[in-house]
Amino acid sequence: IINSEGTFFLERVQDHVIETFKIAAITPAAKLLNAIKSVDFGIPRADEIIRDLGKEQLIEGIETLLDIATLEHWDVEIMKHILKTACFAKKFSDPNDFDPNRYVNVVKHMIVLTKLRHSDVCARAITYQQFEKYKPKRILKLLYKFRDYKHALTLIDNLNFK
């Protein structure tokens, strides 16, 4: 939805987002969010929560958190919190079970998308899925067309274009 005040997304909330953030949620992603909350408040329960999850549920929780972070369009603080939780949980996983490059790629893409959404030159209403489908090189051409060189350089730096 585009109006004179800004650009807004209207979409159905995904089931895994509802299952993670509802009251008394017991999904692996919700447990990881509780673990990071324990760390933030200085309660030594985080290790216990992580150990109770096990290897498969830990990986499932990290993947769910990364998916939820890609769905967050507006509130950067929520996105940062979700990515911080995924980073915290990633430390407890084996690199053979969970590819750390997936986390790094999501973070870099979300940095670029956030800057594109809040551009002073021409804000773009684009989701992570649209960004993946549209291909970054085509977005780079679009940024050149609108003379948004600052964000073009951000895209080049974060996505390692040469």
Side-chain angles (χ1 to χ4, degrees), residues 35-146:
I36 198 72
K37 192 185 307 181
S38 297
V39 170
D40 289 343
F41 290 128
I43 303 169
R45 271 188 52 211
D47 289 338
E48 179 184 330
I49 294 170
I50 299 282
R51 274 187 261 121
D52 288 344
L53 278 177
K55 188 165 65 169
E56 292 83 23
Q57 286 188 334
L58 180 65
I59 301 303
E60 178 187 338
I62 296 170
E63 289 291 340
T64 303
L65 288 171
L66 291 177
D67 289 342
I68 291 171
T70 62
L71 295 172
E72 181 55 50
H73 305 301
W74 188 251
D75 196 343
V76 178
E77 292 303 316
I78 291 174
M79 185 185 351
K80 283 182 184 179
H81 180 68
I82 292 168
L83 290 172
K84 177 183 167 189
T85 304
C87 180
F88 173 73
K90 182 176 65 97
K91 294 174 187 173
F92 293 94
S93 68
D94 186 16
N96 296 327
D97 297 330
F98 176 75
D99 183 22
N101 291 327
R102 165 128 162 76
Y103 172 79
V104 172
N105 288 334
V106 168
V107 169
K108 287 183 176 184
H109 281 76
M110 295 313 294
I111 289 170
V112 170
L113 283 174
T114 302
K115 291 190 179 198
L116 289 176
R117 290 175 187 147
H118 300 291
S119 171
D120 294 333
V121 176
C122 180
R124 288 137 193 101
I126 184 169
T127 65
Y128 182 82
Q129 288 78 16
Q130 290 170 336
F131 185 75
E132 289 291 310
K133 194 174 192 179
Y134 196 66
K135 305 290 182 201
K137 286 190 179 187
R138 290 176 65 192
I139 293 176
L140 194 58
K141 289 179 184 177
L142 186 66
L143 291 172
Y144 288 148
K145 180 180 175 183
F146 283 101

